[in-house]
Each structure stands twice: as structure tokens, then as C-alpha cells.
Amino acid sequence: MMAGGGACWQCGETGGHEATAHVRQEEARLSSEVKCPGQSRSQDMCRICRSRNLHVYLDMGRTPLANSYLRADELGKEEFKEELAIQVCLDCGLSQLTKVVNPDLMFKHYLYVSSTTETFQSHCAELAKTAVAAARCQRGEWVLDIASNDGCLLSKFRDIGMKVVGVDPAVNLAAEANQAGIPTLCDYWSTSSAEVVVSRFGRPKVITATNVFAHADDLHEFLRGVDRCMARHGIFVIECPYVIDFIEKNEFDTAYHEHLSYIGIRPLQTLMAQHGMSLFDVEYFKDLHGGTIRVFVARRGDYPAHSNVQAFLKKEEEFGIADAKRYREFGERVRANKEALVGLVRQLDADGKTIWAYGASAKGNTLMNYFNIPTGLIPVAVDDNPKKWGWYTPGSHMRIANIDELAQGKVDYLLLLAWNFESEIRRRCRAIHYAGRYIVPVPEARVIE
Ligand SMILES: [Zn+2]
């Protein structure tokens, strides 16, 4: 069945209704449900190699879900909280959370929209070009993006002549993408959604999964889905934050309940081998989300392996990716980071300074809640995403505001919670004549003019 042929993306029927009708039904169902107290389970076995040889190295206590923003009338209510702690598998080297929260609590209505930053837009365009070249695609072949968000990446593939389809469980984002002409199935990725893709669209030559692989609980099911639908000689491209940066740069605040795994090349290779696949190239982006790897995967033997793969494995071996000592040192550094930043903020408050935050992001919420910065000490968080304005951050209850308020308010210090966009943020702040200072919280607390 062809895209744009009048059929509904959700059920495949050609009877005159549109996919957004399903989305509206789903929205109505969700809003009629009382927010349940949530379920979670313990992860006591490695997600990849099933070893029980797990070592907990950072426990950030019970925190609210990093993307569960609140309306003003919800501020007095109790928030769902769960333990946020990380452990490493001493056999394959995969870092993973100790608790897995029911994904329905986290992904069904997602306020994060990827298209909001210019940096991300141009990264997507580059990824589309690179993937199409790597797979030697012909125009008109299919590209599938798993967890396609608002369709940003797919629109770049479409711009260079590919047919596109997305899968995303967030009803609001799937609706937006469909309205923008990017066919999007509103569902989680699985073997059954893979079959729906094949029957309604076709076999994708390129499958992408950017910033979702680390969010998937059952990685084996995820790969069975990829294998089920990928075209002959197809490629699967994963982008995720790199665990070595996570450890070396103290990026503890990129941990939140959605982010189940902290990934390196060695554990990925272990995983792919179990599914008849292998890594054939690795790229690295130092500045994207604090350090991101792009991994090219294909069925074993389809593509010759680039020497990069061995180079990364060697680097991880030297680092000690499965060595508990590395992780213990990291835990100690993070605790020192916490003490220093909390001390700084309390001192500034005692001196009568006004502190706001920039970036009401998931990572900001982890930091604010783990560091337990008292509510009210930082009353406002500026954010570029208009969908977040007027909402409050989970746990810390900062009111989220447009940058215009920063121009009017008398703010002395701006805590850069979205430190990964530091230069972009400082450019925007200069443009509105912000004259205060900045606090960069990670890897060490420091003040800049
Ligand atoms: Zn393992």
C-alpha cells in the first residue's frame, strides 16, 4: 500500500477517515484515565547478556519521572517517584538502571520535540545523507525511523528522495507528524509493528533509531523487529549517548528513568552477535548530547567492517568498560560535584542573588532532584520549547518561561541545565541583552561571565 494513497496509517483502511481520528480516540482514553501510581520492576539481570554479575555505582535516590511536567493545579499533589540508580554488568560492560518504570507512564505524551534546536536539525540532515550513501540507496526506497518523534529526521530523508515511515508511541507527536505528511504509526517498536510496516509500506533499506535504543527495555525484541522488516542488504543505524563520555565527563544528569541503558560498542557487539548481525562502522560526535556514537549494523557478512569498530573496542578495553573500579571513581566525582554546586547556589542565595535556570530538560530535572535543591531557590526555568511554557518542572517545581521574561527580570545568575547547548544558549541570551553570569553545573560547578 502506498503512502498518500488515501489509506489510514493506523489501521490500513481506505474508508475516508484519517489516522488522526485514532490519535484523538487514544488522547480521549488517556485523559479519562486517572494517572495511575505507576508500576515498575527491578532489573536484576543484564539486559543484553543475562548475567547477574551487576555492580551498582550511582544511587540518586527516588526521583520523579524527568518528563512528567506539572500544571499549576497539580503542584500540591503527590508525584510518582522511583529509585534512580545505575549498575554495570561486569561481564559485557552494559550500564543499566536498577529499576524499569512502565513505559506508558513516560512515553504516551511527550513534550520534548526534537525539531526545536538548529543544531539537531542540521545533524538530522547529515545523518540522512550519510545513511543513504552507506546503504547505496536508490531514490524511492523506504526508510523507517523508530521513535520518529515529530518526524524531523524523516523529513530530511524525504528531502533527498526517499519514501519514509515512522513509528512512535507518543500520541501527540505521531499526530503532528501525520499532519505534516510523515506517515507515522502510533505504537511502540516490536515484531508486530515491524510486520505492520512491511504490510502497509514495504521493507526499509535503512532503519534508524536515534536516541531510543537506550530507552528500550527488551533489546532482543527490538532487534527481532529490525530483522523481521529490514530489506535485503539493508542497514540499521543507531545513535545513542556514549557511555565512555557519560563516565569520563560526569554526565550523571543524562540519567533518568526513560534512559535504561548506557551504551558502549562492546555490549552492542555482544547483543548483535546474538541476532546474526554485526557492527560495520562507528562514528563519534563529541558535542552531540555530551558525546554520541552512531553505529552502523547489518546482517553478518553483508558489509565489510571498518577498522573503526576494532579501534573503539580497543579503547573500551583500555578504559575498563567492565571494571568496577572505573565506576566507583565516577560515583565519587559525582558526589563531589553535588556538594560543590549545592554549596555555590546556597551561598549565592544567602548573598541575595536571583538565580534562574536555562533548559527545563530531562537532564535538568535529574540534577535538580538528585541534588535536592530546595523548591523556590531557583523559581524559574527558561526554555525554548513553547509547549513547555506555563508548566512546572517535576519535583523542583520551577515555572517554565519564555526567554522574553529573562530580558525583563533582574536575574544575576543563570544555571545552564541544558549545558550541552551552552554556546547556542549564550548566543540567545546575548541577543536579549542578558547581563548576568552563568553557572555551568557539569562536570564541575563553575561560574562564567
Ligand atoms: Zn551483560
Side-chain angles (χ1 to χ4, degrees), residues 52-91:
R52 291 184 183 272
N53 194 8
L54 302 170
H55 169 72
V56 179
Y57 59 91
L58 184 64
D59 184 349
M60 295 184 267
R62 290 170 64 79
T63 66
L65 302 178
N67 283 302
S68 52
Y69 294 91
L70 306 165
R71 294 190 188 89
D73 63 344
E74 294 173 310
L75 290 174
K77 292 181 189 160
E78 200 181 330
E79 292 168 71
F80 170 73
K81 291 183 180 173
E82 185 48 278
E83 174 182 289
L84 184 61
I86 316 175
Q87 55 193 350
V88 61
C89 169
L90 298 175
D91 287 319

